[in-house]
Amino acid sequence: MPSLLGLLALAAVACATDSYSQPNSTGIKLQNGFERVFIQPFGNNGMRVRASIMKDPTGYELSALLDPPLEGPGGNAGLSYDQLVPFQGNGTIRNGNIVADIVLGVISFYRVEADDSWTLLTAEYTDDKALYSRYYTQDFRSPSFAAEFAFTSDPDEQFYGAGQQACCKDNSVNKKGQSIDLINFNSFVPIPLYMSNKGYMQFFNMPSQGRMEFSPLRTRFVSSEATVVDYWITAAEPGDYDSLQQQYTAVTGRQPTPPDFILGYQQSKLRYYNQTQIMDLAQRFHDEQVNVSMIVVDFFNWKYQGDWAFDPEYWPDPALMAATVKNLTGAEMMVSLWPSVEDLSANYLALQEQGFLATTRDGTGVSDSFAGVYTRLVDSTNPGAREFLWKQLNESYFSKGIHNFWIDQADGGTLGEAWENNGQVINLIPYARAFSQYFIGTQEGAGKMYPWLHQQAINEGLHNLTNSPASSTSCDYMSLTRSTFAGGQRYCSYLWSGDTLSRFDVLLQQITSGVSVAASGISSWTLDIGGFTGLDIDTDYGKELYVRWLGMGTFLPYMRVHGDRLCNLPAVSTPFAANPCPNEPWSYGEENFVIAKKYIATRYQLGPYIKRLYEMLQDTGRTLMRPLYYDFSLSDPFVAKATGANDPLVTHQFMMGPRILVSPVGIQNATMKEVYLPRLPQSYLEQNMTWTHWWTEKDYGQGGQSVNVSAPLDEIPVFYLGSKDDILSGNI
């Protein structure tokens, strides 16, 4: 129960204000023996909590938060407080509609309702027989510690977000009942953040490894190594997920609007392995009169890992290549870079001598192997290493007209996978991952910031060369990344779901991955259309899968084709990984080429709508790829119930922005699709909106029921709300 004195004090504050309830305190310090806990107002309707043992936090620990936040109170306050709560003491602090209330040393969080009543959101978990809700263990060799923080949850509570679990079995949107490891690797980008259907979001502002546990009565965050436990919590009305996202992105940063070109069709494969192939490809797009916005050069365009430069044997004139692509198609180019460095690289000695390579606890710093050599990681957590890396990228690529960069394998710790010995059969031997150590700390304590700071290296360089401030709200060019951390959305960068399998069930599973990472604040997201591995372009299965996936990709935040294809062509022995199999729109048969051209043309028709969605994302953090519970959990009880049960009828559909519902086909040889059309909220009905089929213009009414619709290959099931003319003009 909340403390009586707290209720009386905050009622007085609420009566004195007409709208937003300003903080009634600069902060609370709870002195609990050897433990210190600081609670401060931060952002709109938010509280930041920091806990340490033996000494106060410094206030300079690793953090993804913006200080000051873009919106709301707090910031630049350090660890200030005006309430000191002793052991077993009480205290209360309010900021907007959220209250942190301490009773006998236990912290609870409440939402203040319109009638000034308090609704419990969550509290530190206590029971007659249970571990402390704030539980620490410390290794005597280090000032850091491991921590477990536990909070109450209701048995029927739903949790959303938690980052990306992209391949290939997790089809969940509601994470209740799961335990999620907090370690980044290929396709797995967990973010220690979740939204509750009770109307709050909790974010653990810590890049450490660990796990999140969503058990029936308790939600627990576990950190393997920390010097401070730092979390932030915010509240909104139940069902108002856009407000939660607005408040979260105000304290972690908002996605700058992407350049127009990148919203079109992106062509990639593993891999175009020489300059002539790229120029021939551009000529073919020109001759076929097919729009293309970006052409991508994948990995091993270099001679040695760590060169960050084209191998001149295969890429003799990059500037000519980029200019040819631009002249023929208008497209920009993107090039892949890896963080791995081998001994033969031209940069190896300089990186070693300047301390710009990550080390390991023992030995020489070797953290993995690939293509027959052992590798180390460039330490992008070191500002000097970031500057070194960007100088190489500028000299080798940017100055030659290739302005966009693909950050691959930079997941941290190893060379991108959950195991050691990447690319070798012996990766099946369960070696422990390397104990990597960085400029900012260890992999256990800081590793989730490794990919985040790799993104920052590119972001800093792009802003410097384009004379735009780091705080710019728009991008001239972009990086593509396989991994990130909370706040990664504030960079000119977009995430993709990694190396997924080429199967129909995985196509559908990608929807749950996309909406989950979007619920974690990362809307700038895409995938490999067709899946990464296993698609044979000469089979009926492969051709149909490609077209179905291309249809879905048309309505994603970015339309990007990529993959390591199989085909009947003879293998190419050199250079390394020189796959001859094609992956272009005309590679899947003439009939399918006609369909591919239709989808690509549709993508360009959607350009103004998608651009407007990104403007809204930048303005308020409004999510692009939206799970159905975002917009319809209050108006349609079935959506709320089905989301809780992870019913694929609901979770394998999504809204692209507020007006377009997409229901991809994930069964081979299907000709019909069951689509659930949610019951529309009253605000939609007042605008005379109904569900209308995108391709036939048939009106399906106000929703609240399943419909069976025809689903030929060239007509992915899509429905829209309102005027299609308004959608296509971006007038929403």
Side-chain angles (χ1 to χ4, degrees), residues 48 68 75 139 164 276 307 309 328 391 423 466 587 613 642 690:
R48 185 180 186 183
D139 189 316
Q164 171 187 279
T276 301
D307 284 351
L328 287 171
K391 285 181 178 178
T466 57
S587 306
L613 296 184
T690 55

Side-chain angles (χ1 to χ4, degrees), residues 530-580:
F532 176 72
T533 184
L535 192 155
D536 189 331
I537 71 167
D538 293 317
T539 65
D540 290 340
Y541 183 96
K543 292 175 182 178
E544 183 181 351
L545 178 63
Y546 164 81
V547 174
R548 290 297 192 193
W549 217 313
L550 188 70
M552 181 172 75
T554 302
F555 294 90
L556 289 178
Y558 300 93
M559 187 183 190
R560 173 182 173 272
V561 169
H562 182 66
D564 185 12
R565 301 296 181 241
L566 304 173
C567 67
N568 293 328
L569 293 174
V572 177
S573 58
T574 57
F576 177 76
N579 185 350

